[in-house]
Amino acid sequence: MADQTQETDEPSAPAGPPPRGPWLGRALVISALALWGVVVSLRLPDPDRPRPPSAALSRDAKPDPEDLSDLTASTTSDGHTYADDEEQQEPRSGPKRALERALAEAARLHAEAAAGRRSDPSRGDPDDQDDAPRDPRDRLPIAPWAGDLSPPAQVTYVIKRGGAMKMVANLYKMHYHEILAYNPGVELDKELPPGTKLVVYRAAEGEPSESVGSAGDGSLVGGVPMVDGPGRILRMEPWKSYATGHNVALLDAILREWSRRYPNDRPLLVGNMAQRAGGRLKPHSTHQSGRDVDLSYPQVELSGEEYNWREMNAKNLDAARTWDLLELLYETGAVEMVLIDTALQRLLHEHALAQRRVPKGELPAWLEYPRRPGTTEAFVRHHPGHVDHLHARFHCRPEEPRCTSK
Ligand SMILES: [Zn+2]
C-alpha cells in the first residue's frame, strides 16, 4: 500500500504501517508541522475565523493545499497537533514543500480573516466602528405596523361630565346640522349622561383628506379629528385636534405601538394638531396643514407632581425613554422631523454617549446639537418654545401633490 492517508478528524484511528523516509526528513516534517501548530494556535482565539472544510483524503488523492487544512480540524485548543496526524500527514512531495505550503496557507488565512473583518460589520469589536458615519435606517428599518394605514371611517367623542350635543359641536367648531346628521335621534340641547358617545366625524365617500401648502403657510382639506385610544391622553381642545385622515391613523398607530412597547408607562400627552380646515393656529407659526402634532416628553415621575406639560430639564427628562420615542417615530418612515429645544438635545446627546444608547456615528443624523440650529437636516432640530413639549411633523405623501415641505 503506497499511501496511508486517513481521515484526520479521527485521531484515534489505527495509524497503519509505520512511515518511511530518512530521519532527517522526518525531523523537518515535524518542525514544519510544529510551526503550523504555532501559527494555528495564534489564530485560534478568533472563533469566527473562516475555516476550510475538513476534507477527507482518499487513498489515491495527491496531496494538495487541503491536506494541511485538515490539520486545523484536529488541532487542540492549546495548539498541539495529534501525533497520529504528524505521521499520517507526511507529504510525499518533501518536507521543504510542506513548510512552504504551511506558510502560504497561514498567509492566506490571515488575509481572508482580515478581509472578513473589513467586509462584515458584525465581526470584530463594534467600538472600532462606533465613530464611523452611520445611517440610522440601517439599524431601524421602516416598521410594518406603520404601513397600510386606513383613515378612520368614524370618530366619536365621549361626554365626560355631562352636557348637551350642542356643547360637543362647539368643542369641535362644527355646524349643528352636521352633528345632527351624524347622530340621528339625539336632540341638540338635551342634557346627556356621562359616557354618552357622539359621532363627530364620518368619512364621506370620495371626499379627499389632504395637506395643502406648507406647515407654516398652508391649509387642510377634509380634516379628521384625532381619535382616542391607548398610549395617549388628548390634552388639546377638540377643534385643534385635526389632521389628514392618514396622519390621524398614523399618530394613532404610533401611540398604540408606544403603549404596546411600554405598557407600564404613563400615556403621552397629545397637544395641538391643526384646525379642521387648517390655517393659522395661534400661538403656533406652523400647525397649519394637518402634519404637525405636539407631544409630551417622557418624564421622570417626581412625587407630588400631577402629570402635565412641564418644562423639562436634566432632572425630569427621561432621556432613555425620549430616545425610545424618537426611534419609534423614526421607524414609521413618515416623520419628517422632530422639534426639540437645543438644551434638551444636549441632554439627549450626553445620554447617548454615556449610555451608548445609539451608535456614535449615527448621532449627526439624529440631533442637530452640537451644531448651530438651522444648519442641518438632522431628524431632531431646535425651534424656540420646545422645552415643555416636542413637536413631530409628518412627511407630505405622494397622494398630496399640493403639500410642500419648504
Ligand atoms: Zn408644535
Side-chain angles (χ1 to χ4, degrees):
M1 195 163 67
D3 299 311
Q4 52 244 302
T5 49
Q6 297 206 3
E7 294 187 17
T8 54
D9 52 354
E10 292 172 17
S12 60
R20 302 134 301 168
W23 178 88
L24 181 62
R26 281 188 49 72
L28 276 171
V29 170
I30 289 164
S31 302
L33 291 167
L35 175 65
W36 173 242
V38 169
V39 169
V40 164
S41 72
L42 287 173
R43 297 293 319 144
L44 272 176
D46 180 1
D48 290 329
R49 180 175 61 83
R51 211 163 78 168
S54 170
L57 300 175
S58 75
R59 292 191 176 274
D60 297 313
K62 288 188 176 173
D64 62 23
E66 290 281 272
D67 293 7
L68 280 153
S69 66
D70 270 353
L71 280 177
T72 311
S74 57
T75 302
T76 60
S77 59
D78 59 1
H80 168 76
T81 51
Y82 294 109
D84 282 354
D85 291 338
E86 292 173 17
E87 293 181 352
Q88 290 156 12
Q89 289 300 318
E90 180 185 348
R92 288 174 298 174
S93 46
K96 202 175 167 198
R97 174 103 193 275
L99 177 59
E100 283 167 8
R101 287 195 311 187
L103 292 170
E105 179 68 0
R108 186 182 68 78
L109 286 174
H110 182 78
E112 268 184 17
R117 271 197 297 276
R118 271 199 305 277
S119 62
D120 182 357
S122 68
R123 282 178 189 282
D125 185 355
D127 291 346
D128 291 348
Q129 303 175 339
D130 211 31
D131 289 2
R134 288 192 189 189
D135 183 351
R137 188 57 74 207
D138 296 339
R139 187 169 61 87
L140 301 169
I142 293 172
W145 56 262
D148 281 340
L149 299 168
S150 307
Q154 179 175 290
V155 179
T156 55
Y157 177 87
V158 179
I159 291 184
K160 292 167 193 88
R161 284 187 287 266
M165 189 162 75
K166 193 176 186 175
M167 171 204 80
V168 176
N170 291 340
L171 287 176
Y172 283 90
K173 294 196 176 178
M174 293 167 69
H175 295 293
Y176 295 149
H177 70 84
E178 290 175 306
I179 203 162
L180 282 165
Y182 289 155
N183 300 275
V186 182
E187 292 169 44
L188 205 56
D189 289 307
K190 193 188 169 197
E191 182 72 15
L192 299 167
T196 304
K197 262 189 193 176
L198 293 174
V199 176
V200 293
Y201 167 83
R202 186 168 288 149
E205 190 86 35
E207 187 191 37
S209 181
E210 186 187 352
S211 178
V212 176
S214 69
D217 182 16
S219 60
L220 176 58
V221 171
V224 177
M226 183 56 191
V227 292
D228 208 347
R232 79 207 74 177
I233 299 172
L234 302 183
R235 273 291 164 84
M236 77 294 261
E237 294 179 72
W239 66 275
K240 300 175 183 173
S241 77
Y242 286 84
T244 63
H246 177 270
N247 287 344
V248 164
L250 176 61
L251 183 56
D252 180 46
I254 287 168
L255 295 163
R256 282 177 187 277
E257 180 64 12
W258 178 258
S259 134
R260 194 190 65 75
R261 288 187 192 181
Y262 312 108
N264 299 321
D265 277 28
R266 291 181 297 197
L268 293 173
L269 306 178
V270 182
N272 289 347
M273 296 167 69
Q275 300 186 71
R276 186 174 173 189
R280 181 75 205 245
L281 178 66
K282 287 180 180 177
H284 308 277
S285 56
T286 58
H287 288 264
Q288 293 197 22
S289 61
R291 294 164 50 206
D292 297 294
V293 59
D294 291 341
L295 297 171
S296 60
Y297 287 102
Q299 302 175 10
V300 174
E301 235 168 305
L302 299 173
S303 61
E305 286 194 342
E306 69 165 316
Y307 188 38
N308 210 337
W309 308 101
R310 58 174 37 88
E311 289 212 353
M312 306 307 295
N313 52 49
K315 218 170 142 186
N316 61 15
L317 178 75
D318 189 335
R321 258 307 180 267
T322 304
W323 272 112
D324 292 333
L325 177 57
L326 289 175
E327 288 190 342
L328 194 150
L329 293 171
Y330 186 86
E331 280 176 52
T332 64
V335 176
E336 183 175 287
M337 64 158 128
V338 176
L339 300 177
I340 291 181
D341 191 279
T342 200
L344 301 178
Q345 286 189 47
R346 205 191 86 220
L347 298 176
L348 294 171
H349 195 267
E350 286 170 0
H351 177 89
L353 290 179
Q355 308 297 323
R356 299 187 178 210
R357 179 58 183 77
V358 297
K360 197 174 169 187
E362 276 187 15
L363 279 176
W366 282 107
L367 303 176
E368 191 170 55
Y369 178 89
R371 292 161 292 177
R372 209 152 41 83
T375 60
T376 75
E377 299 281 289
F379 188 62
V380 176
R381 301 173 209 173
H382 170 77
H383 195 269
H386 292 87
V387 179
D388 61 357
H389 69 276
L390 61 82
H391 173 130
R393 174 164 308 147
F394 299 126
H395 277 296
C396 290
R397 306 178 65 229
E399 297 85 345
E400 300 171 313
R402 293 185 286 172
C403 178
T404 54
S405 278
K406 272 193 213 148

